[in-house]
Amino acid sequence: VFSITANGNGTITGGAAGTVTDALDKDYEVTPGTYSVAETALAGWVKTGDTCQNVAVAAGEKKTCTITNTKMATLEIVKVALGGSATFNFTASGDNLPGSFTVNGNSKAIFPNLMPGGSRTVTEGALPSHWDFTSLTCGLTVLGDGTTSSYTSGPTATITNLGAGDTLTCTYTNTKRGEIRIIKGAVGGEGTDTFNFTSTGGLPSPA
């Protein structure tokens, strides 16, 4: 519901205040003159059109004007950290996104009040030691006009034409590497001999 107030150099019958919605209009009865309508800003919305300024109304004339509002969009970056927790670095580009930000493991960063449209990218940076990139998926979790398009390539999400009222959630999953510790017990000696091992499964050289 949007609150409006009319004003002008004539008389407004019944007062200047009113409310409108997408389905409910507001009619003013006025004497001949020039009128404008002011709208009270509503959180999460931006005015994108207004023909209700300096509207001249002659005797017996009916004029129609329109105020257009667009619901802002939201981008969520969710971090799933498997096997531990760490701080993960990101870079971003596009309207109303910071150049860089961090997300802790198993938490998220939320960017509300984004202007619909445009092109934006989010990329996960170099990972903390012992962590691997596992996956990145993006999808709409709140549907507005549903025009949002996104695709992923490695750790980069590219978002185009972010839809009015849409919430796009991109989930980055990282996995912490495990550890195998080999303990050698040497029975009957001082343990100064060298013992050789082989491994399978792509194990790296021991640290």
Side-chain angles (χ1 to χ4, degrees):
V1 178
F2 296 85
S3 298
I4 58 173
T5 305
N7 65 86
N9 57 10
T11 301
I12 302 172
T13 303
T19 58
V20 291
T21 69
D22 192 44
L24 179 65
D25 301 330
K26 171 65 177 177
D27 292 331
Y28 287 107
E29 183 181 82
V30 298
T31 60
T34 301
Y35 298 87
S36 296
V37 177
E39 180 182 65
T40 302
L42 195 62
W45 292 80
V46 61
K47 184 163 66 174
T48 52
D50 186 357
T51 64
C52 295
Q53 304 304 310
N54 300 314
V55 178
V57 183
E61 186 179 25
K62 182 176 182 178
K63 288 287 186 72
T64 299
C65 68
T66 302
I67 298 175
T68 302
N69 298 89
T70 300
K71 189 169 179 61
M72 305 294 270
T74 299
L75 175 63
E76 294 185 341
I77 304 299
V78 176
K79 167 56 61 183
V80 176
L82 302 177
S85 184
T87 299
F88 299 87
N89 297 312
F90 291 83
T91 58
S93 65
D95 293 343
N96 302 116
L97 291 181
S100 62
F101 61 95
T102 60
V103 182
N104 293 327
N106 300 309
S107 62
K108 60 183 177 181
I110 301 176
F111 302 101
N113 298 323
L114 299 178
M115 191 67 183
S119 178
R120 299 169 173 89
T121 63
V122 177
T123 300
E124 185 172 50
L127 294 174
S129 297
H130 313 302
W131 286 86
D132 294 313
F133 172 79
T134 304
S135 65
L136 166 60
T137 60
C138 293
L140 288 176
T141 50
V142 175
L143 185 64
D145 68 12
T147 61
T148 299
S149 176
S150 65
Y151 66 90
T152 63
S153 177
T156 297
T158 300
I159 304 107
T160 57
N161 198 30
L162 194 58
D166 285 353
T167 294
L168 181 71
T169 299
C170 291
T171 301
Y172 286 80
T173 301
N174 300 96
T175 303
K176 189 175 184 179
R177 297 175 186 176
E179 179 181 287
I180 300 175
R181 178 169 294 180
I182 308 300
I183 299 175
K184 164 55 64 183
V187 179
E190 296 183 358
T192 57
D193 292 326
T194 298
F195 299 86
N196 297 314
F197 294 83
T198 59
S199 64
T200 61
L203 287 178
S205 299

